[in-house]
Amino acid sequence: MSKLYYPPPSWKPKPSKKSAGHSAVMATTRAATFSAKIRTLSDFHSRIMGQQQPPSSAEIVTTLRYFQQTLVGFLKELPAERSALFEAFSAENTTVRAGLYPNLNYSGLFYGIMNLLDAFPMLNSAHIDISEAVLDTLKALYFFIDRDCIDQMPLLLAGQLGVFPAEMDRRLVHLLCDCVLPYSFGEGANGRVSVPAVLILILHHPSDPCLHSMAVESLMRTLPDLYNDLMTVIASGTSESRIVAANLLFHYWPLMNPAILNRKSVQYKIHAWSPLPCQSINCVEHGLSTRLTFEPALCANLGDTSPPLFLCQICADSCQTELPMRFMCQPLPVLISATCQMKGCQSSSRMAVSTCFDEDCIRSHGHVPLRLCYECSAHLHATTVRSHACHSGPGTIWSSPLEYTMVEAVVKLLRETSAQLVNSSDGEAAKRPKWLRQLEGGRELGREVDPLSDERRMLSRFGIWLMAAHCPPVPEATQSSVGYLLSVLFQWFATTALLPNDAMGQSLEQLKADFACEWLNQTLAAHYEEFVAQLLPQQLEPCGSTAEDAIWDVRSIRREQFREGLAKLLALAPYDVVSLNTWSRVMPSWLHALNTELLDEEELLELKAHRLFEFIVSRLNNDAYDEVLKAIDWLHLLTRIDIRISLDLLLEMFSSSLQWLPPPLPASTQFDQCPEPPLGE
């Protein structure tokens, strides 16, 4: 293929004096046309939402393509030395950026597209064409808008997953993770804070699992601390996103604890992905992209788009550029190496503990991210001028910024299994084997078995591995965090105690024997008092509720709380973690609580009756005459229709009501004295 040559982007004909006035008129006309088109977008939104003469799909696409072509046309005039401005936003270069293109209402265009996206679900046709035009326009626009709009764009794009057609998901994730998010990580922008929310939206969307790996690896090239974001997804995300995030976490971040890898191979699911095809409009073969460039004129001429432009090897070799093109980081294989991939590694422990994505390290590895052991990673990065995007696990998390997120993530993973086994709509059926649930739950009854149910039940294995590797109960561990983990671990032991002897039950039992019991034994040695405290009945108190509220709430009935607490003790008994000394300290408190705190049936009925007639009691205690009269009339009606009310409760009602009656009037001190009768009478 012959090489393509372009004139220097900075070359312009010298304007004459006659053309100066003409240029001003053209600029004014262009600004007026641009603003008029924005008003057209707003009109589209009003017509679609009001269902009054909705615009045709051709009108919407034509308007969006006008904006795309106009913005791309501005890029053709930018010099190549300004390519760095497209890589990351910079508040310091705002004045420089503003001087490179005409002053138009770019923010108005952004909000116009945002309004159009609100009405997108109401469109009846051409969803693919319109969504494609929206993505192309947003990619051409992100360089021109201000910081406030840049901060909103990541969540705006991620929110379209599931709204746009499934055919556009790959382009959307590519635009989000390869273009917009890296640009918003620049100094002065706040795109970094939106990464956890964006990941939750992407990982929650199950249309193409390959996009999950694509999104994570794309962000790993620019974010060395992406581990924290995935941990936040596990701690705060949805159940669907938590499943994917846990699998990705163990795929890309090897555990630092070799004992876990030696005992049990970490099992996870991952899906391979491939780079985008070449984006050059002149490409014939449409091979996979291997290079990228940020030169604005080259991107506009070759791809009719804004930077960055992704090209295959043939198209990249055919282009003559002022700046060298960059090599793309290629996808990691599905079966990644567990040992160091550094050539000539002489380390005593070759277990891979980190992955480097920087071009300096991966150039000799076919531009595939390099897995490194501890010694090779330290040697390679000791003399680097700039920091590399090298990812490794956190080690022990106590007293680190990741402590709260890690502990919460472990708790959510353990509770995911407990919730699936206890709070299932099928009750005890959730503990039955999958084949039996399929027979009994039956498609004959119209109930499909949740395809992710087994994944949710097995999520606790990730929590156990994380707890064993990163949350050891050493003496310097935070006591409150250890207590939090103990309470959830005891609950997990109780809810998984009666699982069937199928693959899932055997796997969870093996986790208890290999990791959970050892973690509990270490806790007994370093945090014995906290261990005992979590087994006492005082831990069953409902938070922020009175005795009556606890009785009224079915899940907070004291009897049920005692049953669950004793079930935890029984579940721990077969594993020899509750010694005789611990048993002697715990059982007196349980016997005392059972003897003094457990309400009998009469007290339970009395409290329920008191709450049942509380609407009458509140009116009898009112000082308003009308309200008291209403309550008495209601009591009279209830007695007439043979509704039984306890006599003690009635007397209590009337006694409290009498307190609001006005005091009696004082007796007169003057009496009419009758005249004494005559003596003779």
mmCIF file of all heavy atoms in Angstrom, residues 89 97 101 106-107 110 141-150 153 183:
data_model
loop_
_atom_site.group_PDB
_atom_site.id
_atom_site.type_symbol
_atom_site.label_atom_id
_atom_site.label_comp_id
_atom_site.label_asym_id
_atom_site.label_seq_id
_atom_site.Cartn_x
_atom_site.Cartn_y
_atom_site.Cartn_z
ATOM 1 N N PHE A 89 -7.026 16.123 30.351
ATOM 2 C CA PHE A 89 -7.502 17.475 30.601
ATOM 3 C C PHE A 89 -6.534 18.193 31.541
ATOM 4 O O PHE A 89 -5.975 17.593 32.462
ATOM 5 C CB PHE A 89 -8.892 17.425 31.227
ATOM 6 C CG PHE A 89 -9.469 18.772 31.550
ATOM 7 C CD1 PHE A 89 -10.169 19.488 30.598
ATOM 8 C CD2 PHE A 89 -9.310 19.324 32.812
ATOM 9 C CE1 PHE A 89 -10.701 20.730 30.894
ATOM 10 C CE2 PHE A 89 -9.837 20.561 33.120
ATOM 11 C CZ PHE A 89 -10.536 21.273 32.152
ATOM 12 N N ARG A 97 -6.238 25.941 25.141
ATOM 13 C CA ARG A 97 -7.249 25.183 24.407
ATOM 14 C C ARG A 97 -8.278 26.113 23.786
ATOM 15 O O ARG A 97 -8.715 25.908 22.651
ATOM 16 C CB ARG A 97 -7.942 24.192 25.345
ATOM 17 C CG ARG A 97 -7.046 23.061 25.820
ATOM 18 C CD ARG A 97 -7.694 22.227 26.922
ATOM 19 N NE ARG A 97 -8.951 21.656 26.522
ATOM 20 C CZ ARG A 97 -10.132 22.029 26.988
ATOM 21 N NH1 ARG A 97 -10.209 22.999 27.883
ATOM 22 N NH2 ARG A 97 -11.237 21.455 26.570
ATOM 23 N N TYR A 101 -9.682 26.905 18.838
ATOM 24 C CA TYR A 101 -10.906 26.637 18.083
ATOM 25 C C TYR A 101 -11.884 27.788 18.290
ATOM 26 O O TYR A 101 -11.743 28.589 19.229
ATOM 27 C CB TYR A 101 -11.535 25.310 18.514
ATOM 28 C CG TYR A 101 -11.636 25.117 20.011
ATOM 29 C CD1 TYR A 101 -12.642 25.721 20.757
ATOM 30 C CD2 TYR A 101 -10.718 24.325 20.684
ATOM 31 C CE1 TYR A 101 -12.730 25.546 22.116
ATOM 32 C CE2 TYR A 101 -10.798 24.142 22.052
ATOM 33 C CZ TYR A 101 -11.812 24.752 22.762
ATOM 34 O OH TYR A 101 -11.895 24.573 24.116
ATOM 35 N N TYR A 106 -20.403 25.073 23.099
ATOM 36 C CA TYR A 106 -20.154 23.637 23.187
ATOM 37 C C TYR A 106 -20.874 23.017 24.386
ATOM 38 O O TYR A 106 -21.356 21.880 24.300
ATOM 39 C CB TYR A 106 -18.651 23.374 23.284
ATOM 40 C CG TYR A 106 -17.875 23.947 22.126
ATOM 41 C CD1 TYR A 106 -17.059 25.070 22.285
ATOM 42 C CD2 TYR A 106 -17.963 23.379 20.862
ATOM 43 C CE1 TYR A 106 -16.349 25.601 21.224
ATOM 44 C CE2 TYR A 106 -17.257 23.907 19.788
ATOM 45 C CZ TYR A 106 -16.452 25.016 19.975
ATOM 46 O OH TYR A 106 -15.758 25.548 18.918
ATOM 47 N N SER A 107 -20.952 23.732 25.491
ATOM 48 C CA SER A 107 -21.674 23.204 26.651
ATOM 49 C C SER A 107 -23.159 23.048 26.341
ATOM 50 O O SER A 107 -23.798 22.080 26.778
ATOM 51 C CB SER A 107 -21.481 24.122 27.861
ATOM 52 O OG SER A 107 -20.121 24.197 28.221
ATOM 53 N N PHE A 110 -23.588 19.845 24.581
ATOM 54 C CA PHE A 110 -23.502 18.696 25.487
ATOM 55 C C PHE A 110 -24.823 18.470 26.216
ATOM 56 O O PHE A 110 -25.328 17.341 26.282
ATOM 57 C CB PHE A 110 -22.370 18.921 26.490
ATOM 58 C CG PHE A 110 -22.274 17.862 27.544
ATOM 59 C CD1 PHE A 110 -21.703 16.635 27.265
ATOM 60 C CD2 PHE A 110 -22.768 18.095 28.823
ATOM 61 C CE1 PHE A 110 -21.623 15.650 28.241
ATOM 62 C CE2 PHE A 110 -22.692 17.118 29.799
ATOM 63 C CZ PHE A 110 -22.117 15.894 29.509
ATOM 64 N N LEU A 141 -16.737 15.801 20.613
ATOM 65 C CA LEU A 141 -17.054 16.967 21.440
ATOM 66 C C LEU A 141 -16.203 17.072 22.695
ATOM 67 O O LEU A 141 -15.989 18.183 23.202
ATOM 68 C CB LEU A 141 -18.543 16.914 21.820
ATOM 69 C CG LEU A 141 -19.089 17.985 22.763
ATOM 70 C CD1 LEU A 141 -19.008 19.371 22.123
ATOM 71 C CD2 LEU A 141 -20.526 17.674 23.158
ATOM 72 N N TYR A 142 -15.697 15.945 23.222
ATOM 73 C CA TYR A 142 -15.150 15.980 24.585
ATOM 74 C C TYR A 142 -13.941 16.910 24.712
ATOM 75 O O TYR A 142 -13.645 17.396 25.800
ATOM 76 C CB TYR A 142 -14.803 14.564 25.056
ATOM 77 C CG TYR A 142 -13.518 13.983 24.515
ATOM 78 C CD1 TYR A 142 -12.319 14.134 25.210
ATOM 79 C CD2 TYR A 142 -13.495 13.256 23.336
ATOM 80 C CE1 TYR A 142 -11.140 13.591 24.731
ATOM 81 C CE2 TYR A 142 -12.324 12.704 22.851
ATOM 82 C CZ TYR A 142 -11.150 12.873 23.551
ATOM 83 O OH TYR A 142 -9.982 12.343 23.082
ATOM 84 N N PHE A 143 -13.231 17.174 23.621
ATOM 85 C CA PHE A 143 -12.078 18.071 23.705
ATOM 86 C C PHE A 143 -12.506 19.527 23.863
ATOM 87 O O PHE A 143 -11.757 20.348 24.400
ATOM 88 C CB PHE A 143 -11.226 17.909 22.439
ATOM 89 C CG PHE A 143 -10.086 18.880 22.340
ATOM 90 C CD1 PHE A 143 -8.989 18.766 23.176
ATOM 91 C CD2 PHE A 143 -10.107 19.916 21.426
ATOM 92 C CE1 PHE A 143 -7.933 19.656 23.092
ATOM 93 C CE2 PHE A 143 -9.060 20.813 21.331
ATOM 94 C CZ PHE A 143 -7.966 20.682 22.164
ATOM 95 N N PHE A 144 -13.719 19.879 23.443
ATOM 96 C CA PHE A 144 -14.143 21.276 23.395
ATOM 97 C C PHE A 144 -14.903 21.726 24.643
ATOM 98 O O PHE A 144 -15.057 22.929 24.853
ATOM 99 C CB PHE A 144 -15.045 21.498 22.169
ATOM 100 C CG PHE A 144 -14.365 21.228 20.860
ATOM 101 C CD1 PHE A 144 -14.409 19.972 20.280
ATOM 102 C CD2 PHE A 144 -13.665 22.231 20.203
ATOM 103 C CE1 PHE A 144 -13.782 19.722 19.073
ATOM 104 C CE2 PHE A 144 -13.036 21.990 18.994
ATOM 105 C CZ PHE A 144 -13.090 20.728 18.428
ATOM 106 N N ILE A 145 -15.401 20.807 25.446
ATOM 107 C CA ILE A 145 -16.265 21.203 26.559
ATOM 108 C C ILE A 145 -15.436 21.523 27.799
ATOM 109 O O ILE A 145 -14.253 21.185 27.898
ATOM 110 C CB ILE A 145 -17.289 20.093 26.876
ATOM 111 C CG1 ILE A 145 -16.582 18.761 27.108
ATOM 112 C CG2 ILE A 145 -18.295 19.969 25.758
ATOM 113 C CD1 ILE A 145 -17.520 17.614 27.413
ATOM 114 N N ASP A 146 -16.079 22.176 28.765
ATOM 115 C CA ASP A 146 -15.380 22.604 29.973
ATOM 116 C C ASP A 146 -15.328 21.469 30.994
ATOM 117 O O ASP A 146 -15.809 20.357 30.755
ATOM 118 C CB ASP A 146 -16.060 23.842 30.570
ATOM 119 C CG ASP A 146 -17.546 23.610 30.835
ATOM 120 O OD1 ASP A 146 -17.974 22.436 30.871
ATOM 121 O OD2 ASP A 146 -18.286 24.598 30.999
ATOM 122 N N ARG A 147 -14.750 21.780 32.148
ATOM 123 C CA ARG A 147 -14.512 20.748 33.150
ATOM 124 C C ARG A 147 -15.809 20.171 33.702
ATOM 125 O O ARG A 147 -15.908 18.965 33.948
ATOM 126 C CB ARG A 147 -13.678 21.325 34.299
ATOM 127 C CG ARG A 147 -13.226 20.292 35.311
ATOM 128 C CD ARG A 147 -12.621 20.940 36.527
ATOM 129 N NE ARG A 147 -13.612 21.709 37.259
ATOM 130 C CZ ARG A 147 -13.359 22.403 38.369
ATOM 131 N NH1 ARG A 147 -12.126 22.445 38.840
ATOM 132 N NH2 ARG A 147 -14.307 23.072 38.982
ATOM 133 N N ASP A 148 -16.820 21.003 33.934
ATOM 134 C CA ASP A 148 -18.072 20.501 34.497
ATOM 135 C C ASP A 148 -18.705 19.453 33.590
ATOM 136 O O ASP A 148 -19.234 18.437 34.068
ATOM 137 C CB ASP A 148 -19.046 21.664 34.722
ATOM 138 C CG ASP A 148 -18.561 22.614 35.810
ATOM 139 O OD1 ASP A 148 -17.741 22.171 36.641
ATOM 140 O OD2 ASP A 148 -18.989 23.784 35.822
ATOM 141 N N CYS A 149 -18.670 19.688 32.302
ATOM 142 C CA CYS A 149 -19.234 18.713 31.363
ATOM 143 C C CYS A 149 -18.371 17.459 31.281
ATOM 144 O O CYS A 149 -18.894 16.340 31.166
ATOM 145 C CB CYS A 149 -19.390 19.342 29.983
ATOM 146 S SG CYS A 149 -20.541 20.737 29.924
ATOM 147 N N ILE A 150 -17.054 17.633 31.350
ATOM 148 C CA ILE A 150 -16.156 16.478 31.326
ATOM 149 C C ILE A 150 -16.425 15.567 32.522
ATOM 150 O O ILE A 150 -16.427 14.333 32.405
ATOM 151 C CB ILE A 150 -14.690 16.946 31.317
ATOM 152 C CG1 ILE A 150 -14.308 17.453 29.930
ATOM 153 C CG2 ILE A 150 -13.744 15.825 31.725
ATOM 154 C CD1 ILE A 150 -14.256 16.378 28.874
ATOM 155 N N MET A 153 -19.550 13.385 31.823
ATOM 156 C CA MET A 153 -19.623 12.509 30.657
ATOM 157 C C MET A 153 -19.419 11.029 30.977
ATOM 158 O O MET A 153 -20.120 10.179 30.407
ATOM 159 C CB MET A 153 -18.625 12.963 29.591
ATOM 160 C CG MET A 153 -18.782 12.215 28.274
ATOM 161 S SD MET A 153 -17.727 12.811 26.940
ATOM 162 C CE MET A 153 -18.584 14.319 26.501
ATOM 163 N N TYR A 183 -8.955 10.837 29.538
ATOM 164 C CA TYR A 183 -8.887 12.291 29.385
ATOM 165 C C TYR A 183 -9.351 12.998 30.656
ATOM 166 O O TYR A 183 -8.788 14.026 31.054
ATOM 167 C CB TYR A 183 -9.746 12.710 28.196
ATOM 168 C CG TYR A 183 -9.727 14.196 27.912
ATOM 169 C CD1 TYR A 183 -8.646 14.794 27.280
ATOM 170 C CD2 TYR A 183 -10.794 15.005 28.279
ATOM 171 C CE1 TYR A 183 -8.621 16.152 27.016
ATOM 172 C CE2 TYR A 183 -10.783 16.365 28.026
ATOM 173 C CZ TYR A 183 -9.696 16.931 27.392
ATOM 174 O OH TYR A 183 -9.682 18.282 27.139
#
